[in-house]
Amino acid sequence: MHRRDFLRSGTAVTIAAGSGLTLTLRRATAAEHGAIVAAAQRVPVGEMTVTALSDGYIPLDSSVLIGIDEEGFAEAAQAAFLDPERAVRGAVNAYAVQVGEETVLIDTGAGALFGPTLGDLPANLAAAGIDPGSVGSIVITHLHGDHFGGAAVDGAKAFPNARMILTETEHGFWTSEDIKASAPEEVRPFFDTAAAAVSTYEDALELLPDGAEIAPGLVYEHLPGHTPGHNGVMLSSGDASLFVWADTIHVPHVQFAMPEVGIAFDVDRDLARETRARVLDRVVADRQAIAGMHLPFPGIGHVETATEGYRFVPTGWHYL
Ligand SMILES: [Zn+2]
């Protein structure tokens, strides 16, 4: 694996490359995609209605993980009753939130950025009866392609009436020419695609501080490390709440048991690990319901401690 460090404002920031390109360039055939039947799932959270939406999946192997080798990855797969010979399917989810009259979409899937195993969001929005024109805000958790790629189609807004909400930190990082120039060459295209998506919404861009309230009942929570401005979204209504933790965990069958394992796309690996440990501790202690962009669809459940690390307890669709 190929990694380089570069400096930003006196702080060492690591961007992992190499495996990132492997992922970007991996083009699964349509036949590999398979059929996903349950791809839009409604969940009440107090007065709000959350609709979990599948965008498809990313084929993953051990090369994207930091802190576990191929053998350890195969063992973890076996322990999770997965075929260690087969590429793991990493889910990509987004969540639409109906708050009163407003429809807010948290992340947009990958659009056309990562090939045919992704980009299902528009079809699943349609299946859920959500018109893209009715979406008033798209809230981006961080500027990685599998989260913003669906915001634009051929340089035009996929959600023509939406404002794009983003944190200042995240926007500042991915649109900085200086940071891009000091980043390894292989990761510079990631800056370009992020800046292009943001510029599509230039006239409808709302930049907020990390941890800011987005709207009543929707609050950003800063989860730094994966990217500098990576934010989850806490949804609360009355006594009910759901913590959309974005990319706290990428590869569930490995990282719940071994939360010290990171992913190559973590900008600051140590900080990402610290954040993951803190969040896991808290959601266990608070018995907090969570939703994750890379947890098996619909990606909603709870976390409990296990003999080794933690265990994800998905909430079956019939209980949602
Ligand atoms: Zn992601």
Side-chain angles (χ1 to χ4, degrees):
M1 194 150 315
H2 182 121
R3 280 167 235 132
R4 279 180 226 166
D5 291 343
F6 69 101
L7 291 173
R8 187 203 164 209
S9 323
T11 316
V13 178
T14 306
I15 284 199
S19 58
L21 291 180
T22 311
L23 180 65
T24 314
L25 298 174
R26 170 81 162 83
R27 290 280 185 268
T29 63
E32 275 181 288
H33 190 310
I36 296 170
V37 178
Q41 174 68 52
R42 283 213 165 78
V43 188
V45 177
E47 303 281 299
M48 300 177 182
T49 302
V50 176
T51 306
L53 298 152
S54 174
D55 190 53
Y57 65 89
I58 307 180
L60 296 171
D61 61 35
S62 62
S63 72
V64 297
L65 290 175
I66 310 294
I68 190 168
D69 58 14
E70 217 173 309
E71 202 182 330
F73 188 81
E75 274 169 26
Q78 213 135 28
F81 303 97
L82 300 172
D83 180 354
E85 300 295 313
R86 207 174 125 176
V88 171
R89 294 179 168 189
V92 176
N93 306 321
Y95 297 90
V97 187
Q98 189 73 38
V99 199
E101 295 296 296
E102 171 132 24
T103 304
V104 176
L105 181 62
I106 306 176
D107 287 346
T108 66
L113 291 180
F114 294 134
T117 66
L118 288 162
D120 295 347
L121 185 83
N124 291 327
L125 274 171
I130 301 171
D131 170 9
S134 73
V135 174
S137 312
I138 47 177
V139 172
I140 305 293
T141 60
H142 63 298
L143 282 175
H144 275 162
D146 50 326
H147 300 261
F148 70 74
V153 181
D154 298 330
K157 290 175 184 173
F159 301 94
N161 303 313
R163 34 186 200 142
M164 178 183 270
I165 297 172
L166 193 61
T167 71
E168 290 155 355
T169 312
E170 195 65 1
H171 179 263
F173 182 82
W174 293 102
T175 59
S176 162
E177 282 300 325
D178 289 348
I179 297 171
K180 182 179 130 183
S182 60
E185 205 182 321
E186 312 88 282
V187 296
R188 285 181 207 158
F190 295 103
F191 286 79
D192 296 332
T193 48
V198 168
S199 74
T200 308
Y201 285 83
E202 214 160 27
D203 61 343
L205 195 59
E206 191 172 326
L207 300 180
L208 299 177
D210 293 312
E213 180 179 66
I214 299 163
L218 278 85
V219 181
Y220 262 144
E221 180 169 329
H222 195 200
L223 307 171
H226 179 49
T227 63
H230 177 234
N231 275 252
V233 182
M234 177 64 94
L235 305 174
S236 19
S237 171
D239 293 337
S241 66
L242 178 67
F243 179 36
V244 181
W245 77 7
D247 280 20
T248 298
I249 294 269
H250 288 90
V251 185
H253 79 277
V254 172
Q255 290 175 297
F256 276 107
M258 292 172 272
E260 68 281 5
V261 173
I263 195 142
F265 318 110
D266 288 337
V267 171
D268 183 330
R269 201 160 296 148
D270 292 337
L271 186 55
R273 193 181 300 121
E274 264 171 51
T275 296
R276 187 161 45 251
R278 173 169 57 80
V279 170
L280 285 166
D281 259 5
R282 197 189 84 215
V283 299
V284 169
D286 295 351
R287 297 175 65 83
Q288 173 66 56
I290 55 146
M293 274 56 184
H294 302 304
L295 300 180
F297 183 81
I300 296 172
H302 291 81
V303 183
E304 63 178 12
T305 48
T307 323
E308 193 190 358
Y310 299 87
R311 193 171 80 89
F312 179 50
V313 184
T315 306
W317 66 267
H318 46 301
Y319 288 109
L320 289 171

